[in-house]
Each structure stands twice: as structure tokens, then as C-alpha cells.
């Protein structure tokens, strides 16, 4: 018998090799410091919420329904909230059955579970380049290989998607896409391309996972049609983090019936059930408050902040720099002039050569 202690790291599963420090965690750690005005993270503007009304709602929830709100619940989520989620998705043209909705602890959990039930080690996932760093972390944790497909000003390029599907082996398990107000690029897949992207994936037998946390935050007031509204086989991920409150961590997946049961089993093994308290609070908010007007308040604030950021970029960035002008959400990417780097530039990692992501969801005056 060996008397030498075995390092804990030698007991780890091989899949942990793909786990790396979260860049999201690092961003939030910096953004939470009071002396910092962070433009790096995609953080929503919670100052726009009716805090006094929400405080009263929380107190009433505990007083009237505390024994239910603080108890275990269903792994799939509370039925009344799943019905309300279908009403929210209807704004983007989605017709859904509450039985096909699975409530999760944020849409990040939904993405993790979808990857878990679809991907074996070595499987391929297609994703836009650049892509959401939280998704890349989930794919790496399950040892999936990511192949990026380039975007232009109108989103994912269909011809490049087709080329990837022709050449990449093994056949990709799914296309992961943020088609509307993309994180981190800020671009939106054009309406004309949406049906084409779906048809290409359908023709090659590849599933589509649509991550759509920003879809209702368009500045025109008219949401883009979700991919799920065009194809009922799309796996749709939604969240209240950007349209209500990110700290409540309430998201969902709308999945085809053939996927639902496996997803519920995966959710049950991960958390037993999503928290009843936060679900009931979101449900009360949707029932008692004009949530559409609240979304409008958010979008008006983000449009003003986008315009302020645009003026700042024009004033402070050197000649030759370019940037997109998103028509929704609260992220954009600026590109440095070729060969030029200036003190204070953020790393361009994962954003392509010279790329700098700029978030304008939370802009506050620096304390003096």
C-alpha cells in the first residue's frame, strides 16, 4: 500500500481539462468595484426597475405563499410560469405549448443541459465567430469542439455555414446561434437570412439552438421573428435576465417534445428543481405589472446610452477605427485601425483581430 498522498488533481475526470477560468466572473468582479465604470460586461440597467413595488411584492409573496415559495417544486418548473413564458415568446411570433417549456436557473443552465444531452467528447458544435464566452465554456466542459462560422454586418453568412457543413467532420451536432443583437458582436441576423440558415441546417440534418436573451430589446419597437417562430424543431433558450432582473436567475428552454423528457431528467439531476421563490416572484411580476412597458423603458434607456457611446467613440477613438451601430440590446464591437494599439485597450481575445467589445447597459457617473 502506498504511503504517499495522491494529489487531488490526479483524481479529476479527464473532461475537467477543458474547464478554464470564467472570463464572465472576471468581468463581473471588476464591474462590481465602485470606482470602476465598466464597459466590458453585458450587464442590464436595473435602476430602471420599480424597486419599491418589487419590495412590496416580495414581502407579500412570503407572507401569503411563503410555505410554497420556500419549498421544493417541479423539475420542469411551475405550470403558471410556463404558461406566462409562452405569452412572452408570442411577442416574437412563437406559438408554444407550456408542456414543452423547461424552466432553468438562467438560460446559461439551459445551454449547459442542452450541450450535456447532445454532445459526447469530440463532437462538433458550430457557432458564430466571435461567440458568447459563456457558451464556449459549456462546450469545452463537455469536450465538444467548436468550429466558428464568420459573420458580417447582417449576421451569420449562409454560404460560409454551408461550406462548414460540407467539410467539417464529424457532422456537427448543432448550430449554436445568437441571431438577434448578438453577444458580443452586436449584429443581427437579417430577416432574409433566417429562413435560409434554417433550411441549410435542416438539409444537413443539424439541429439549431437559438439563444435569444436580447430579442425583446429592439429599438424599433417591433421584435425580429425568432428562429423558433419559423421552425418548431429549433431549441430556443430564453431568459428574464435582460428584460427583468438578472440576479433572479430565471431562464427557460423551449424544446421539441422529443427533447423535453431528456432535458427534464438532466435538469432534475443537476438541481432537483429550479427555485420556487424566484419563479413565483417572476410570475407575480408578469401578472401584476405592465412588463411590456418595462421592456420599453429598458429599450429607451439603452438607445440613449447607445447614442452616448457612439458620440464617445467618435470623439475618443483614433482615426481609422470602425464600429457597428446595433439596433437593439446593449453591446457593440469596435475595431482598431490596422496596426495600431493604444494604452487602455481591452484584450482582443475571442473578438477577432483588433476587436474591442463595448457594453453600454450600465453607465453611471464615476464617484469623485
Amino acid at each position: 500500500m502506498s504511503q504517499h498522498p495522491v494529489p487531488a488533481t490526479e483524481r479529476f475526470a479527464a473532461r475537467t481539462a477543458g474547464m478554464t477560468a470564467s472570463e464572465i466572473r472576471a468581468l463581473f468582479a471588476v464591474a462590481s468595484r465602485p470606482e470602476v465604470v465598466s464597459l466590458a460586461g453585458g450587464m442590464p440597467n436595473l435602476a430602471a426597475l420599480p424597486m419599491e413595488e418589487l419590495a412590496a411584492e416580495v414581502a407579500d409573496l412570503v407572507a401569503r405563499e411563503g410555505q410554497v415559495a420556500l419549498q421544493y417544486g417541479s423539475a420542469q418548473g411551475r405550470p403558471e410560469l410556463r404558461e406566462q413564458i409562452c405569452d412572452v415568446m408570442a411577442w416574437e411570433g412563437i406559438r408554444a405549448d407550456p408542456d414543452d417549456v423547461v424552466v432553468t436557473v438562467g438560460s446559461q443552465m439551459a445551454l449547459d443541459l442542452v450541450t450535456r444531452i447532445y454532445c459526447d467528447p469530440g463532437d462538433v458544435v458550430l457557432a458564430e465567430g466571435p461567440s458568447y464566452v459563456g457558451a464556449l465554456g459549456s462546450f469545452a466542459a463537455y469536450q465538444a469542439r467548436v468550429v466558428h462560422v464568420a459573420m458580417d454586418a447582417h449576421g451569420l453568412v449562409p454560404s460560409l455555414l454551408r461550406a462548414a457543413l460540407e467539410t467539417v467532420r464529424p457532422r456537427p451536432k448543432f448550430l449554436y446561434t445568437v441571431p438577434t443583437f448578438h453577444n458580443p458582436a452586436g449584429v443581427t441576423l437579417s430577416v432574409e437570412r433566417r429562413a435560409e440558415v434554417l433550411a441549410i441546417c435542416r438539409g444537413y440534418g443539424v439541429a439549431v439552438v437559438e439563444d435569444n436573451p436580447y430579442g425583446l430589446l429592439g429599438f424599433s419597437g417591433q421584435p425580429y421573428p425568432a428562429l423558433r417562430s419559423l421552425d418548431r424543431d429549433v431549441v430556443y433558450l430564453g431568459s428574464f435576465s435582460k428584460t427583468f432582473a438578472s440576479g433572479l436567475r430565471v431562464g427557460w428552454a423551449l424544446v421539441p417534445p422529443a427533447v423535453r423528457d431528456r432535458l427534464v431528467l438532466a435538469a432534475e439531476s443537476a438541481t432537483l428543481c429550479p427555485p420556487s421563490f424566484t419563479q413565483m416572484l417572476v410570475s407575480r411580476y408578469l401578472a401584476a405589472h405592465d412588463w411590456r412597458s418595462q421592456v420599453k423603458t429598458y429599450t429607451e434607456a439603452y438607445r440613449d446610452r447607445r447614442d452616448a457611446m457612439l458620440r464617445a467613440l467618435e470623439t475618443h477613438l483614433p482615426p481609422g477605427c470602425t464600429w457597428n451601430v446595433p439596433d437593439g440590446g446593449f453591446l457593440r464591437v469596435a475595431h482598431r485601425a490596422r496596426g495600431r494599439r493604444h494604452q487602455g485597450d481591452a484584450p482582443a481575445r475571442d473578438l477577432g483581430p483588433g476587436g474591442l467589445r463595448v457594453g453600454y447597459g450600465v453607465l453611471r457617473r464615476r464617484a469623485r
Side-chain angles (χ1 to χ4, degrees), residues 33-55:
R33 290 162 50 185
E35 76 276 14
V36 172
V37 178
S38 175
L39 305 180
M43 301 179 70
N45 174 34
L46 298 186
L49 284 173
M51 292 299 185
E52 292 185 2
E53 295 178 29
L54 292 177

Side-chain angles (χ1 to χ4, degrees), residues 38-43 309 330-332 357-363:
S38 175
L39 305 180
M43 301 179 70
M309 181 62 66
F330 41 81
L331 295 165
R332 68 150 54 89
R357 185 179 82 157
V358 181
Y360 49 86
V362 178
L363 296 178

Side-chain angles (χ1 to χ4, degrees), residues 96-119:
D97 188 322
D99 287 343
D100 296 330
V101 174
V102 180
V103 179
T104 56
V105 184
S107 60
Q108 180 70 33
M109 176 184 172
L111 177 59
D112 188 87
L113 295 177
V114 167
T115 308
R116 176 179 169 187
I117 66 176
Y118 270 94
C119 291

Side-chain angles (χ1 to χ4, degrees), residues 5-351:
V6 178
T9 55
E10 292 187 10
R11 302 188 184 98
F12 291 166
R15 63 180 173 274
T16 63
M19 296 180 179
T20 58
S22 169
E23 295 187 36
I24 296 175
R25 181 177 62 193
L27 288 175
F28 287 170
V30 172
S32 64
R33 290 162 50 185
E35 76 276 14
V36 172
V37 178
S38 175
L39 305 180
M43 301 179 70
N45 174 34
L46 298 186
L49 284 173
M51 292 299 185
E52 292 185 2
E53 295 178 29
L54 292 177
E57 201 72 73
V58 170
D60 188 69
L61 172 59
V62 174
R64 294 176 180 270
E65 302 179 88
Q67 292 192 40
V68 177
L70 301 177
Q71 186 57 275
Y72 291 118
S74 163
Q76 190 171 351
R78 295 185 62 80
E80 65 271 22
L81 179 59
R82 289 190 277 117
E83 292 181 5
Q84 290 168 309
I85 286 171
C86 290
D87 293 337
V88 171
M89 292 188 293
W91 201 359
E92 296 178 285
I94 297 173
R95 298 178 62 184
D97 188 322
D99 287 343
D100 296 330
V101 174
V102 180
V103 179
T104 56
V105 184
S107 60
Q108 180 70 33
M109 176 184 172
L111 177 59
D112 188 87
L113 295 177
V114 167
T115 308
R116 176 179 169 187
I117 66 176
Y118 270 94
C119 291
D120 290 315
D123 280 343
V124 174
V125 172
L126 296 182
E128 293 117 341
S131 194
Y132 167 51
V133 67
L136 300 179
S138 288
F139 303 150
Y142 291 102
Q143 298 175 282
R145 179 166 64 94
V146 179
V147 174
H148 290 287
V149 181
M151 296 180 289
D152 60 17
H154 304 289
L156 189 70
V157 179
S159 62
L160 298 180
L161 172 62
R162 185 180 289 106
L165 290 169
E166 283 284 346
T167 58
V168 172
R169 295 295 179 271
R171 183 175 66 185
K173 284 296 184 74
F174 58 81
L175 167 68
Y176 169 76
T177 177
V178 185
T180 307
F181 316 133
H182 185 273
N183 178 2
V187 300
T188 293
L189 184 66
S190 67
V191 173
E192 295 76 18
R193 287 185 180 181
R194 296 187 176 223
E196 185 177 3
V197 165
L198 290 170
I200 292 170
C201 289
R202 191 182 310 113
Y204 284 88
V206 172
V208 175
V209 177
E210 177 183 16
D211 195 355
N212 196 34
Y214 307 97
L216 296 181
L217 298 178
F219 299 149
S220 70
Q222 180 62 40
Y224 284 88
L227 297 181
R228 178 59 174 73
S229 72
L230 305 175
D231 187 336
R232 295 182 63 84
D233 288 331
V234 169
V235 173
Y236 178 96
L237 310 181
S239 176
F240 290 106
S241 292
K242 306 302 188 291
T243 57
F244 181 23
S246 54
L248 294 177
R249 309 305 302 133
V250 178
W252 71 89
L254 172 65
V255 297
V259 179
R260 178 192 59 222
D261 292 343
R262 290 294 176 91
L263 190 65
V264 172
L265 289 173
E268 190 172 40
S269 69
T271 61
L272 290 183
C273 62
S276 297
F277 183 88
T278 53
Q279 291 183 79
M280 293 174 72
L281 180 57
V282 171
S283 183
R284 279 172 163 245
Y285 168 78
L286 294 173
H289 299 268
D290 187 351
W291 62 268
R292 288 181 181 242
S293 291
Q294 183 63 50
V295 170
K296 182 180 179 182
T297 297
Y298 274 135
T299 56
E300 289 174 348
Y302 294 144
R303 182 173 54 230
D304 291 344
R305 291 166 188 226
R306 178 204 62 180
D307 294 344
M309 181 62 66
L310 179 61
R311 292 191 295 270
L313 292 174
E314 292 173 341
T315 300
H316 297 290
L317 288 190
C321 291
T322 60
W323 48 83
N324 62 309
V325 181
D327 60 344
F330 41 81
L331 295 165
R332 68 150 54 89
V333 168
H335 295 278
R336 291 189 301 272
R338 183 180 297 274
R340 302 182 67 172
R341 183 175 176 85
H342 295 263
Q343 185 177 6
D345 280 357
R349 181 173 45 192
D350 295 327
L351 297 182

